[in-house]
Amino acid sequence: MIETSRQLKMSLSAFMIAFGALLTSGLVLGTPHAWNQSAQSTESTEQAARMKWFREAKFGLFIHWGLYAIPAGEWKGQPIAGIGEWIMNRAKIPVKEYEQLAAQFNPVKFNADEWVKLAEDAGMKYIVITSKHHDGFAIYQSRASKYNIVDATPFKRDPLKELAAACAKRNLRLGFYYSQAQDWHESNGAGNTWDFGPDDQKNFDQYLQEKAEPQVRELLANYGPVCLIWFDTPRMMTKERSQRFIDILRTLQPQCLIDGRLGASGDYRSMGDNRIPDTVINEDWEVPATLNRTWGYKKDDNDWKSPEDLTFKLVDIISKGGNYLLNVGPTAEGIIPQPSQDNLRAVGRWLKVNGEAIYGARPTPFGEELGQLSTAETGKDGKPLFKAKMDWRCTTRPGKLFIHLFKWPAAQFELPAIKNKVKKAYLLADPGRKPLSVNQTDSAISISLPQQAPASMPLVVSLEIEGDTVRR
Ligand code: H79
């Protein structure tokens, strides 16, 4: 008996992990398929205008903040495994207990301008904050539900109003994450099976019409220009249901972007959580990613990615054509954890010197530097494993090629051949822009470099070339 229940538990958790992996890999996240049709060459001028800022911005700050920051990964003295904002679900906390957290939520150290300043220091151009996550609690003033920060907490302030003002002041764009389908607080929302039973017996449209749709209207009506709405986990989101959200957005703020997880094609593709694709994707796309393992604050998660790793990921993503949306999980007091701040600011210092190779930059014209499929090893899905290379990456802009060096090539760097003539080469980190000598042949380009890296890595070699696009 004990054996059986243990086996059952084990296979259940294996299932949950597999299901989680499937969700986070973007496979069941309603990944839109219209991207190839809306390839940038054939898109409408309306779509091009809407996407313009996103294609320039490249780097954004994700903020996961809500009641889950109070338990911070621990419930009744027990650490709860998994991502912090899922604690209500993972510990199967009844609504009646979880909603009592609201009475304790008083983040008196919250300072909108400090958060926006951090994003600015990090070189980020947009901010996306959880207006309501799966737990159903709105961190802004909502008339559609009393379960919100102004009506249900001693704090009583509206952080989204304060962030909108701070973003306007510092010239960053502001967008809102909104969990349209899962709402564990509502009897007809998706996901809370422990209080309300199976999802297929709920009146889901009633939840959508009484809470989710009105709340999205509020977000678009009350906070000035919203750069995007970041929908997530489109459970039970049919095309008809998704279309109602599209109509709300296009009516209230036609310039506002829709991410890739609504349940119908959005304006760009959302990759799975923390999933950076192996190769270039010639569409608009974004990777949401964490600095440690959790999104919402968890006091025991200290598994911080290093600034070097973050910089590599940023360059890797831009060289493949995407945007990087990197997350912080502020505490229940309103403080962004110090390691998050330090690591983001380190990336920002690199961007101050090398931003020309990132903002508005286009993907690599090469591709061989990214890696290749293994001829011997297969992954869990039976397909050949992709073996990533990490020595260098390339980004471009009209008339320019940028080579980001992650491994210093003593004295000589060899770049695959291009037809454009290279006019000049220098390091972006060199204020004097001292020319590097270049030897260009039909088969390769060889750039002479100092024996030792003259500054900390990655160093970017800027090549000025003839012509706007790189020809190979
Ligand atoms: O907001 C962040 C996550 O909370 C959200 N997307 C990012 C941006 C997200 N919702 N669902 N998922 C991600 C996939 C869920 C995966 C898991 Fe689980 C949650 C793994 C462990 C907890 C599902 C539930 C699988 C096991 C339990």
Side-chain angles (χ1 to χ4, degrees):
M1 186 63 208
I2 294 169
E3 261 321 294
T4 343
S5 86
R6 219 174 73 199
Q7 271 169 11
L8 186 71
K9 256 197 201 140
M10 281 178 51
S11 55
L12 246 178
S13 60
F15 169 78
M16 286 191 351
I17 289 164
F19 183 65
L22 214 73
L23 270 172
T24 49
S25 70
L27 278 174
V28 291
L29 283 165
T31 305
H33 9 79
W35 307 110
N36 293 331
Q37 295 151 27
S38 72
Q40 288 175 19
S41 56
T42 58
E43 74 183 349
S44 66
T45 47
E46 194 188 352
Q47 187 63 10
R50 215 181 353 246
M51 293 310 300
K52 189 169 182 285
W53 74 266
F54 185 87
R55 292 175 185 161
E56 277 294 316
K58 290 291 169 195
F59 193 27
L61 180 68
F62 214 173
I63 305 177
H64 275 67
W65 199 39
L67 296 180
Y68 38 79
I70 301 171
E74 183 182 318
W75 195 252
K76 298 188 171 164
Q78 296 298 314
I80 306 297
I83 42 187
E85 70 284 3
W86 270 72
I87 193 166
M88 180 178 176
N89 181 303
R90 296 304 302 262
K92 300 292 176 256
I93 305 169
V95 168
K96 286 281 159 279
E97 274 183 55
Y98 188 87
E99 67 183 4
Q100 286 171 26
L101 290 170
Q104 296 172 47
F105 197 60
N106 196 17
V108 290
K109 293 187 180 158
F110 167 69
N111 180 322
D113 195 58
E114 281 174 13
W115 288 14
V116 178
K117 170 87 164 44
L118 171 65
E120 187 183 50
D121 289 349
M124 293 160 153
K125 303 295 184 187
Y126 61 114
I127 295 180
V128 181
I129 183 165
T130 50
S131 59
K132 184 203 82 170
H133 203 266
H134 308 332
D135 67 358
F137 184 75
I139 62 157
Y140 67 97
Q141 181 164 32
S142 172
R143 268 166 291 273
S145 163
K146 288 275 167 244
Y147 194 45
N148 74 70
I149 195 164
V150 173
D151 293 311
T153 77
F155 189 54
K156 295 200 185 338
R157 281 157 54 189
D158 181 341
L160 300 196
K161 272 259 173 322
E162 295 177 28
L163 281 166
C167 281
K169 185 179 114 187
R170 292 188 183 273
N171 237 337
L172 268 82
R173 284 169 204 265
L174 181 62
F176 300 125
Y177 173 106
Y178 189 87
S179 176
Q180 79 280 28
Q182 293 199 68
D183 189 317
W184 306 329
H185 185 256
E186 307 304 326
S187 55
N188 288 311
N192 185 342
T193 50
W194 57 99
D195 282 306
F196 305 123
D199 284 350
D200 58 12
Q201 286 166 34
K202 293 171 180 172
N203 188 344
F204 187 57
D205 280 304
Q206 185 176 336
Y207 151 75
L208 289 177
Q209 279 155 4
E210 289 180 1
K211 184 169 180 183
E213 293 170 24
Q215 286 199 324
V216 170
R217 276 193 211 98
E218 292 173 333
L219 291 170
L220 294 166
N222 300 337
Y223 299 90
V226 178
C227 70
L228 58 84
I229 301 279
W230 217 97
F231 297 105
D232 202 3
T233 62
R235 298 190 189 175
M236 303 196 284
M237 290 300 293
T238 58
K239 297 293 162 225
E240 292 71 28
R241 287 165 174 160
S242 306
Q243 189 61 45
R244 297 208 295 268
F245 285 98
I246 296 175
D247 292 344
I248 291 168
L249 266 101
R250 295 297 184 245
T251 305
L252 292 174
Q253 292 208 29
Q255 293 305 312
C256 178
L257 302 185
I258 300 170
D259 78 328
R261 297 185 182 183
L262 171 59
S265 305
D267 291 302
Y268 65 86
R269 180 162 158 187
S270 301
M271 295 299 154
D273 297 352
N274 285 306
R275 297 295 173 109
I276 301 174
D278 294 329
T279 54
V280 175
I281 297 180
N282 278 312
E283 302 161 21
D284 296 307
W285 59 272
E286 177 186 64
V287 188
T290 51
L291 283 170
N292 45 354
R293 288 174 182 273
T294 187
W295 303 84
Y297 178 67
K298 245 188 125 169
K299 61 187 169 205
D300 292 339
D301 185 344
N302 290 303
D303 197 4
W304 303 105
K305 294 173 186 76
S306 67
E308 292 73 24
D309 188 15
L310 297 171
T311 309
F312 177 80
K313 286 182 163 68
L314 172 67
V315 174
D316 189 34
I317 289 164
I318 309 312
S319 83
K320 292 167 180 170
N323 280 25
Y324 195 18
L325 184 62
L326 194 48
N327 181 73
V328 296
T331 67
E333 287 190 304
I335 298 293
I336 295 172
Q338 196 61 44
S340 298
Q341 297 197 33
D342 295 344
N343 295 345
L344 288 179
R345 287 202 169 90
V347 176
R349 284 191 293 275
W350 180 84
L351 276 167
K352 272 250 171 297
V353 176
N354 299 288
E356 190 193 343
I358 296 293
Y359 305 115
R362 304 294 308 143
T364 178
F366 304 108
E368 47 266 60
E369 76 279 20
L370 303 174
Q372 72 279 306
L373 291 171
S374 166
T375 49
E377 292 169 72
T378 53
K380 285 192 211 100
D381 55 5
K383 296 193 182 127
L385 213 58
F386 190 85
K387 306 290 266 186
K389 290 192 205 162
M390 301 176 71
D391 289 357
W392 60 277
R393 288 292 181 265
C394 177
T395 57
T396 72
R397 27 176 14 101
K400 291 263 177 83
L401 260 185
F402 302 101
I403 311 301
H404 305 246
L405 299 170
F406 292 90
K407 193 179 142 220
W408 191 251
Q412 219 45 280
F413 179 76
E414 291 272 317
L415 191 67
I418 56 169
K419 293 198 179 120
N420 316 53
K421 183 175 165 11
V422 176
K423 294 191 290 188
K424 197 177 167 192
Y426 52 87
L427 291 166
L428 285 186
D430 174 10
R433 303 207 152 175
K434 193 163 91 56
L436 301 168
S437 75
V438 177
N439 182 21
Q440 184 169 17
T441 69
D442 287 346
S443 58
I445 298 168
S446 161
I447 305 158
S448 300
L449 293 164
Q451 198 67 36
Q452 298 214 322
S456 64
M457 305 260 268
L459 281 160
V460 180
V461 179
S462 169
L463 299 176
E464 289 180 8
I465 58 171
E466 267 173 11
D468 272 356
T469 47
V470 182
R471 288 170 299 122
R472 294 197 66 194

